[in-house]
Amino acid sequence: MKKFRKVLDGLTTSSPVNPGGSPSCGSAAGTPSTAPTPRELEIQETLMSEHFQICKTVRHGFPYQPTALAFDPVQKILAIGTRSGGVRLLGRPGVDCHCQHESGAAVLQLQFLINEGALVTACADDTLHLWNLRQRRPAILHSLKFNRERITFCHLPFQSKWLYVGTERGNTHIVNIESFILSGYVIMWNKAIELSTKTHPGPVVHLSDSPKDEGKLLIGFESGTIVMWDLRAKRADFRIYYDEAIHSVSWHHEGRQFMCSHSDGSLSMWNLRNTAKPFQVTFPHGKTQRDGRKESCKPILKVEYKTSRNSSEAFVIFSGGLSYDKAGRRPTLTIMHGKAIIVLEMDYPIVDFLVLCETPYLNEVQEPYAVAVLLEKDFLVVDLTQSNFPIFENPYPMDIHESPVTCTAYFADCPPDIIPVLYSIGAKHKKTGYSHKEWPLSGGTWTVGSQTYPEIIITGHADGSIKFWDATAITLQMLYKLKTSKVFEKPKSGDVGRSAELVEEDPYAIQMISWCPQSRIFCVVGISAHVILYRFSKHDANTTITSLVVRLQCEMEDVISPSDTENTPCFSDPSGLSPQPQPPSPRSNTPDSVRDSNPCLKVKDRMIRMPPGYQAELVVQLLWVDGEPPQQITSLDLNSAYGLLALGNCNGLAVVDYLQKTVLLCMSTLELYGSADPFQRLTRSPRKNRQSTSDHVNGHCTSPTSQPCPTGRARVPGGPEGPRLARRGPGRPPFRKAQSAACMEVSLPVSSLTEESRENSFSRSRSSSVSSIDRETKEAVTTLQFAESYGRKSDTLPTPCLWVGTSLGLVLIIPMSIPTDEQERQEDPVTVAPTGTVLMLKASVLRFAFLDCGGALINSPYEVWRDQHAPDDPDRPRKRKLVNFSPSSSQEASGDGHLAVVCSERQAKVFFMPSQACLYVHNITESSFVLRADVVSVCNSVCLACFCANGHIMTLSLPSLRPLLDVNYLPLTDMRIARTFCFTNGGQALYLCSPTEMQRITYSQEMCDNLQEMLGELFTPIETPEAQNRGFLKGFFGGNAQTFDREELFGEAAAGKASRSLAQHIPGQGGMEGMKAAAGGVVGELARARIALDERGQRLGELEERTALMMTSAETFSKHAHEVMLKCKDKKWYQF
């Protein structure tokens, strides 16, 4: 615990900690503060560096670019491999684990060691890996790197420790799973085929042992050659040469016949009694043409041949095989059961599928009950036990990417009642028609951890939809979906409007989200420069949506930039300077401009029935001006207690009273400064007479309509002042698809940047605004925050204020006068008066936060939620109930002031209000810039968390800004990360790691220590089911003799050692050291030790039972032997 003291007496407006020499804070006039200040500030900081550690917690969503699928029929765990080297393991809800190969090579194939808690992965870099799944965070035990051959197919027989590996050269190698060492036993391609064959058979595409005899291995080559190899005799039993290429092979469980799928869309059936030709060839989707020939069909990439006890007809399930003439048909999965052929159309191409069966034994009736289908962008399971083949309702959040995610918001420790309310509303709109049976992937165990609190994640999407997710206890379940596009009229087919020119695709895409969980007011910003405000109601309503339009356009022809010698900000008394004319207003209201002003989208102007849930109340849209589209909105804040909404872009700021449905303030950034502009930006023509209306001075628009306030200034045609700046300045990025990071481009420094260079250079577009002020033409509003604060140094009590941060690193404080009485609030105007108070930082301002004099976070005031559409109760009239966290309850408390934390792209500062003295400053980065900054609560304290473009995640103590954590964790490889990264309370954060997946991380040591308890257990001890008629078929199917035969055949004593140059063994980190590292702390290590002890105790118990059975059997045998001995004791030899 560290105590900080800072004497504030005598501090002037120029802070001594500013390294640049120029004043870093202060009022416009530079006068000393007259507000009461405490003689000393005592703040005890409890956070230390030991409280922080970064690790990944869980990954949600659909595995991006999937490649392979595998299933353990005993453990009921499913694995999905991806092109980027990831492996996703899925069990019952809550059991969801992500593993990653360090090489990043694509996963070609997956093979479970059934009921052993292990998984073999074959990757595109020709490496085999053995994963240990008996720990909550799986680790690699062994790896085997092939040097001279490429892996194409793998097969691991049930209850065998020998893995068959087929290669591109046509050879088949055998790997010992226990030691991960190659056997000297090799099936060479030239031995497998006949010597008279002149062509190479191609890569191995299939390997399987015969259900009838495990000593026979069926090898399928790509060219159409099939070989049944006798492992004991080391020769081929038979060879099949087929004209069409083979894609897959599937056995009948009796082992007397098998089925092949081919590249011409055919299925061939083969009987082992006669392998000269197939006894049946079918084209399931190929029709016979008039000339008698079959029409050409697409390849059947995979076929599964499964039998069932309840039916004499087998299931034949395959993907592909459609005829070529049916262009545009969707990918299909075909289920053939007897004479019935059911074709299931899929939304995306099929990557792989598996038939889920009751038994792990290939020589038993399979009893298929479901089909797991892996698509390019979806995963589904089909119920085979019902005649209409419905799909199961997927418990995993596989549809995050239903429309591309454009922004995210993360709220931890929400009000406990919000999740049940959202779920009850969302459940009414769920799809129906799912299978009534339970989800078949029921493996693993998971329990809700002890340290859980309500968490909600909100995602905004390109189609304008919003999804609310329950993220409690590292799970993710969708609660409620909202479509913002329903607010607008659908564009007519023949209508060529400006909206088509503005955004060709995704005109409703979400850019920003603002949500107040306490008041349940929700606000979104769209890419078409619109803001929609929603209120929550449990009842449906018939209402109209109020529409306001704002003319936020800056005429930049009349503004010049300071020269190189004017870069240093000046805070001298502006009265000594020459008179500075008022800058032009962004709200030119000539008759021509009014007729030409149109928003990008048209709001529905009729009565609309709104279902329960979030209901649109107000839409604010920016207007087109002079043929130019409005700039995208770069900042937004909402306060339910004040009833105000603020939005800003690179042209200026607008404040809207959503209770009275009026625009209070609409000004350019320069007008907000007034005479306190620190850069003293002058107009080109000071002789022009520009008069500002009183509306600009007091910031209030008295018109209750949506029309902008007049400015009294007519547009003047071009004069001799010199060349004008281009109207489309660098601060106006062209509209693009929502998937791009248009919302991140706030401050573009060089006016000559082309569109292409803006797209390709992220770092250049975010250069320091202060250093490039000589080139900057527009100052964007980058962050906004309503708070109870002090607008002037002379203030003695906090009042409602709006803090405004800009792309030049400047902070403006705008006090507001809001009526306190509820009736007056609905009728009397709210006064907004910019005071010219300016604070300054390096680079663009990102975040504001406020602390009391004890170092505790001051939350913004809010209105308690009330259902406006609930039936009226005369006994309990609905009144606004406000909750205010401001320390203004008494004169003594208000005199203490508060601390303001301001973070920019390069710097963080802590100011004392109302004196505006800079107490602490910390330069976060010089070589990079901060993408995201949030003040969050961790371990009953608060800190500033930052994510930089160079991949560093940092935390700083408050208020002293001591560095607590600085880890190079996540390089900015994709703009998606920058757009979606966000911190939240409790030491958690999230970002989109791929277009379909959301990664959650923690930077809290406490959560890292407890992570083991929160994760699901992948492996549960289950007794392996016994084979049918095991005593009678012991010598034929899976008996001890067969295992002994494999050992004799493939072991080093019989087969010798494989060539060292063929493959290289690489030990993994799955031992105890790897387990400790994966555990991430002492708690995880103890949990793992407890699990190991439980497993050992269970094994000892099983051993004791087996010993007792053996003793009983021995006693029975002894008794029978004694009886036989007594019976035969007196008999002669000829009597036997």
Side-chain angles (χ1 to χ4, degrees):
M1 187 178 296
K2 190 171 183 179
K3 183 180 292 186
F4 292 91
R5 294 175 181 270
K6 188 85 174 177
V7 178
L8 300 181
D9 293 344
L11 280 177
T12 62
T13 57
S14 178
S15 174
V17 295
N18 182 31
S22 60
S24 60
C25 56
S27 65
T31 56
S33 170
T34 58
T37 58
R39 296 195 58 84
E40 63 178 16
L41 183 66
E42 296 185 5
I43 295 180
Q44 296 179 337
E45 295 186 357
T46 58
L47 288 179
M48 299 294 175
S49 59
E50 298 81 49
H51 291 108
F52 296 93
Q53 181 186 347
I54 292 184
C55 69
K56 295 180 180 179
T57 54
V58 67
R59 182 172 292 197
H60 303 297
F62 178 75
Y64 185 54
Q65 295 179 330
T67 55
L69 192 63
F71 181 67
D72 187 329
V74 179
Q75 289 289 323
K76 296 191 183 303
I77 292 286
L78 184 131
I80 300 174
T82 69
R83 192 178 301 174
S84 59
V87 177
R88 194 74 167 274
L89 296 157
L90 302 172
R92 67 175 65 247
V95 179
D96 187 343
C97 179
H98 173 262
C99 313
Q100 179 67 43
H101 294 91
E102 292 184 2
S103 64
V107 177
L108 299 179
Q109 199 175 351
L110 300 163
Q111 285 279 319
F112 273 104
L113 277 67
I114 296 176
N115 204 27
E116 295 292 338
L119 175 72
V120 175
T121 58
C123 296
D125 60 351
D126 306 308
T127 306
L128 297 172
H129 303 276
L130 178 64
W131 290 83
N132 178 18
L133 306 184
R134 295 192 177 224
Q135 53 196 69
R136 300 198 181 194
R137 310 200 79 169
I140 293 177
L141 291 169
H142 301 283
S143 298
L144 188 66
K145 168 74 173 173
F146 281 74
N147 297 322
R148 296 185 300 186
E149 298 194 51
R150 309 217 62 180
I151 299 172
T152 56
F153 196 87
C154 296
H155 170 62
L156 180 65
F158 179 47
Q159 292 183 327
S160 169
K161 69 175 185 178
W162 299 97
L163 174 72
Y164 302 115
V165 181
T167 68
E168 193 175 37
R169 293 186 179 180
N171 302 324
T172 301
H173 300 274
I174 301 172
V175 179
N176 187 320
I177 291 298
E178 294 178 349
S179 60
F180 238 58
I181 296 176
L182 270 180
S183 167
Y185 193 112
V186 182
I187 305 173
M188 304 298 292
W189 68 271
N190 55 354
K191 298 290 182 64
I193 65 173
E194 291 180 342
L195 296 177
S196 59
T197 306
K198 297 180 180 180
T199 57
H200 190 279
V204 175
V205 296
H206 178 80
L207 292 168
S208 62
D209 47 343
S210 169
K212 192 175 181 180
D213 184 359
E214 291 183 351
K216 304 291 179 65
L217 181 68
L218 190 71
I219 307 173
F221 297 94
E222 188 180 57
S223 63
T225 302
I226 300 174
V227 176
M228 177 69 86
W229 185 262
D230 189 330
L231 295 169
R232 302 183 190 90
K234 298 183 181 180
R235 62 178 177 82
D237 269 9
F238 63 82
R239 300 179 178 91
I240 296 174
Y241 299 97
Y242 197 67
D243 295 337
E244 293 296 333
I246 293 175
H247 287 282
S248 69
V249 181
S250 183
W251 281 95
H252 187 278
H253 80 274
E254 293 178 351
R256 291 195 288 263
Q257 60 188 27
F258 59 87
M259 180 181 292
C260 301
S261 68
H262 302 280
S263 58
D264 62 347
S266 66
L267 296 173
S268 61
M269 291 280 290
W270 300 82
N271 197 308
L272 298 189
R273 293 180 180 178
N274 181 15
T275 58
K277 63 178 182 179
F279 72 87
Q280 183 181 0
V281 177
T282 58
F283 289 81
H285 295 301
K287 296 180 181 179
T288 305
Q289 299 175 345
R290 292 181 180 179
D291 57 1
R293 294 184 302 174
K294 291 283 187 180
E295 60 182 352
S296 59
C297 297
K298 298 177 183 178
I300 296 180
L301 301 178
K302 185 174 182 179
V303 64
E304 293 264 16
Y305 186 23
K306 303 296 179 183
T307 53
S308 175
R309 288 192 186 90
N310 299 330
S311 174
S312 59
E313 302 289 346
F315 281 93
V316 177
I317 304 170
F318 61 89
S319 61
L322 292 179
S323 59
Y324 278 105
D325 63 345
K326 296 177 182 178
R329 284 195 62 176
R330 295 191 290 182
T332 60
L333 182 78
T334 304
I335 302 174
M336 298 171 60
H337 190 213
K339 295 182 179 180
I341 300 179
I342 297 91
V343 179
L344 305 179
E345 289 191 340
M346 304 295 168
D347 293 331
Y348 306 101
I350 297 174
V351 176
D352 197 0
F353 73 90
L354 286 174
V355 179
L356 311 187
C357 301
E358 295 289 351
T359 176
Y361 296 95
L362 296 179
N363 56 3
E364 296 180 357
V365 178
Q366 297 297 288
E367 289 294 337
Y369 59 89
V371 183
V373 188
L374 179 63
L375 309 177
E376 279 190 358
K377 294 184 179 180
D378 200 1
F379 173 72
L380 53 91
V381 182
V382 181
D383 187 356
L384 291 179
T385 62
Q386 300 182 45
S387 58
N388 58 340
F389 300 122
I391 64 171
F392 291 90
E393 185 176 6
N394 198 328
Y396 316 118
M398 293 288 187
D399 58 346
I400 292 176
H401 63 287
E402 184 178 17
S403 175
V405 178
T406 53
C407 66
T408 59
Y410 194 0
F411 299 88
D413 206 7
C414 299
D417 60 335
I418 191 70
I419 290 180
V421 168
L422 288 173
Y423 179 80
S424 63
I425 297 296
K428 299 176 182 178
H429 304 284
K430 279 194 171 183
K431 296 179 181 178
T432 57
Y434 293 110
S435 172
H436 62 272
K437 294 192 174 182
E438 292 186 2
W439 181 247
L441 309 182
S442 57
T445 56
W446 178 77
T447 56
V448 179
S450 57
Q451 297 180 344
T452 58
Y453 43 83
E455 298 175 69
I456 286 182
I457 294 173
I458 304 177
T459 55
H461 300 264
D463 63 352
S465 61
I466 301 286
K467 291 182 180 180
F468 290 77
W469 305 85
D470 177 9
T472 306
I474 70 171
T475 61
L476 196 71
Q477 292 294 322
M478 195 172 83
L479 296 171
Y480 174 70
K481 182 178 180 180
L482 175 67
K483 295 182 179 179
T484 63
S485 58
K486 291 185 176 180
V487 172
F488 303 100
E489 299 281 3
K490 292 182 179 179
K492 297 180 180 179
S493 57
D495 185 17
V496 182
R498 281 174 172 165
S499 61
E501 302 172 18
L502 176 66
V503 184
E504 294 182 0
E505 299 181 53
D506 307 320
Y508 311 111
I510 307 300
Q511 283 189 293
M512 271 181 284
I513 293 170
S514 179
W515 185 47
C516 178
Q518 289 79 13
S519 63
R520 301 184 187 176
I521 292 182
F522 184 64
C523 199
V524 298
V525 172
I527 198 172
S528 298
H530 63 270
V531 178
I532 310 175
L533 184 138
Y534 291 88
R535 284 183 183 269
F536 187 84
S537 175
K538 295 181 180 179
H539 306 84
D540 55 2
N542 293 311
T543 183
T544 56
I545 303 171
T546 305
S547 177
L548 297 178
V549 292
V550 176
R551 187 182 178 88
L552 202 58
Q553 201 79 10
C554 186
E555 299 290 341
M556 293 307 299
E557 293 94 332
D558 302 315
V559 181
I560 66 169
S561 298
S563 63
D564 293 338
T565 58
E566 294 173 321
N567 286 347
T568 304
C570 179
F571 288 91
S572 60
D573 189 353
S575 61
L577 299 175
S578 59
Q580 180 179 3
Q582 190 71 20
S585 166
R587 296 173 297 159
S588 172
N589 199 14
T590 60
D592 292 337
S593 63
V594 170
R595 284 196 299 267
D596 293 338
S597 297
N598 286 307
C600 301
L601 302 170
K602 179 176 174 54
V603 180
K604 292 179 180 178
D605 54 1
R606 61 183 182 277
M607 187 74 71
I608 302 173
R609 181 190 172 278
M610 298 184 181
Y614 273 104
Q615 301 168 349
E617 179 178 295
L618 175 68
V619 178
V620 182
Q621 292 179 284
L622 303 188
L623 295 174
W624 281 67
V625 177
D626 302 329
E628 295 290 341
Q631 291 300 301
Q632 294 178 20
I633 296 170
T634 57
S635 55
L636 173 78
D637 194 39
L638 171 80
N639 190 281
S640 57
Y642 302 159
L644 299 180
L645 169 71
L647 59 99
N649 66 2
C650 66
N651 286 332
L653 170 69
V655 180
V656 176
D657 183 343
Y658 66 79
L659 296 179
Q660 298 185 20
K661 309 295 192 299
T662 58
V663 179
L664 299 179
L665 180 74
C666 181
M667 300 177 71
S668 71
T669 319
L670 288 182
E671 289 176 303
L672 293 174
Y673 294 111
S675 61
D677 185 4
F679 296 110
Q680 298 300 320
R681 286 166 282 196
L682 304 177
T683 55
R684 286 273 184 198
S685 177
R687 295 185 301 276
K688 290 183 180 179
N689 183 20
R690 293 179 177 83
Q691 296 179 354
S692 178
T693 64
S694 59
D695 291 334
H696 280 190
V697 176
N698 58 31
H700 175 61
C701 177
T702 56
S703 172
T705 66
S706 60
Q707 293 297 326
C709 301
T711 64
R713 184 181 71 86
R715 293 180 57 207
V716 180
E721 291 86 0
R724 298 181 180 181
L725 299 177
R727 186 184 302 274
R728 184 179 288 279
R732 177 177 296 179
F735 284 87
R736 296 179 299 280
K737 290 181 66 175
Q739 291 89 324
S740 70
C743 57
M744 296 301 300
E745 295 181 349
V746 177
S747 172
L748 301 174
V750 185
S751 60
S752 61
L753 278 179
T754 63
E755 179 180 345
E756 181 180 2
S757 63
R758 283 199 297 268
E759 287 283 349
N760 297 333
S761 176
F762 187 74
S763 59
R764 287 170 57 191
S765 67
R766 306 284 292 190
S767 64
S768 172
S769 302
V770 176
S771 62
S772 61
I773 184 61
D774 55 326
R775 303 186 303 268
E776 188 68 58
T777 58
K778 292 187 178 180
E779 183 178 7
V781 176
T782 55
T783 185
L784 296 165
Q785 178 76 52
F786 287 104
E788 295 282 316
S789 186
Y790 302 86
R792 304 170 184 84
K793 289 186 176 184
S794 57
D795 289 349
T796 57
L797 292 175
T799 58
C801 292
L802 174 62
W803 285 60
V804 182
T806 74
S807 56
L808 297 188
L810 301 180
V811 178
L812 298 97
I813 308 173
I814 303 175
M816 298 172 293
S817 176
I818 302 176
T820 55
D821 182 74
E822 183 172 0
Q823 186 67 26
E824 293 178 356
R825 179 64 186 86
Q826 297 290 340
E827 299 174 356
D828 294 352
V830 174
T831 304
V832 182
T835 60
T837 300
V838 178
L839 310 175
M840 189 157 184
L841 288 85
K842 292 181 180 179
S844 179
V845 181
L846 297 178
R847 188 67 58 197
F848 297 121
F850 305 96
L851 310 177
D852 61 21
C853 291
L857 185 66
I858 302 176
N859 295 308
S860 298
Y862 64 86
E863 175 189 1
V864 178
W865 174 73
R866 56 196 176 106
D867 196 337
Q868 291 188 321
H869 295 141
D872 292 331
D873 186 355
D875 298 332
R876 299 179 61 187
R878 294 195 300 270
K879 293 185 178 180
R880 298 185 73 212
K881 182 180 179 182
L882 306 183
V883 177
N884 196 335
F885 297 97
S886 172
S888 59
S889 56
S890 65
Q891 181 67 29
E892 180 182 357
S894 64
D896 289 342
H898 68 78
L899 303 177
V901 181
V902 187
C903 184
S904 75
E905 290 182 349
R906 301 284 179 87
Q907 198 176 50
K909 287 187 178 181
V910 176
F911 298 94
F912 181 76
M913 304 300 291
S915 69
Q916 302 173 14
C918 183
L919 303 184
Y920 303 99
V921 63
H922 178 73
N923 292 320
I924 300 173
T925 178
E926 293 294 340
S927 58
S928 183
F929 54 91
V930 179
L931 285 169
R932 179 78 185 206
D934 288 291
V935 174
V936 293
S937 61
V938 181
C939 300
N940 299 319
S941 187
V942 291
C943 67
L944 176 64
C946 303
F947 170 54
C948 295
N950 58 8
H952 284 249
I953 294 179
M954 291 178 278
T955 57
L956 305 173
S957 69
L958 289 177
S960 66
L961 300 177
R962 285 182 301 116
L964 299 173
L965 174 75
D966 187 354
V967 177
N968 186 6
Y969 181 74
L970 184 67
L972 185 63
T973 55
D974 198 316
M975 196 67 72
R976 184 185 308 104
I977 298 174
R979 190 174 60 245
T980 59
F981 194 99
C982 54
F983 295 98
T984 190
N985 295 329
Q988 295 193 76
L990 70 82
Y991 60 93
L992 247 70
C993 54
S994 74
T996 62
E997 293 172 288
M998 181 188 299
Q999 179 69 57
R1000 290 165 69 178
I1001 65 174
T1002 180
Y1003 49 94
S1004 164
Q1005 178 68 59
E1006 181 182 6
M1007 189 168 185
C1008 287
D1009 293 340
N1010 297 327
L1011 187 58
Q1012 287 295 116
E1013 298 178 2
M1014 301 168 68
L1015 295 174
E1017 189 79 51
L1018 289 169
F1019 178 79
T1020 53
I1022 300 175
E1023 191 72 28
T1024 302
E1026 291 189 3
Q1028 296 175 356
N1029 302 323
R1030 191 167 181 83
F1032 178 74
L1033 298 174
K1034 186 175 181 180
F1036 297 93
F1037 301 114
N1040 293 331
Q1042 194 68 28
T1043 305
F1044 178 76
D1045 286 347
R1046 279 202 180 113
E1047 183 67 34
E1048 284 188 349
L1049 287 172
F1050 307 143
E1052 185 177 334
K1057 293 184 178 180
S1059 173
R1060 291 186 178 180
S1061 61
L1062 184 61
Q1064 176 187 0
H1065 176 261
I1066 305 170
Q1069 298 296 321
M1072 186 53 67
E1073 293 79 7
M1075 288 181 176
K1076 291 178 181 177
V1082 178
V1083 174
E1085 193 175 333
L1086 292 174
R1088 193 171 308 287
R1090 186 180 68 247
I1091 293 168
L1093 287 173
D1094 292 343
E1095 291 181 1
R1096 184 170 178 266
Q1098 183 172 357
R1099 289 171 187 159
L1100 289 173
E1102 293 174 357
L1103 181 62
E1104 186 177 351
E1105 292 176 1
R1106 290 176 184 174
T1107 304
L1109 288 173
M1110 290 176 66
M1111 289 177 64
T1112 305
S1113 177
E1115 289 176 359
T1116 305
F1117 179 78
S1118 175
K1119 180 180 178 181
H1120 286 304
H1122 185 69
E1123 289 177 356
V1124 170
M1125 185 267 294
L1126 292 176
K1127 185 176 180 180
C1128 303
K1129 180 179 179 182
D1130 299 327
K1131 288 186 178 182
K1132 304 296 181 180
W1133 62 272
Y1134 52 83
Q1135 292 179 319
F1136 288 102

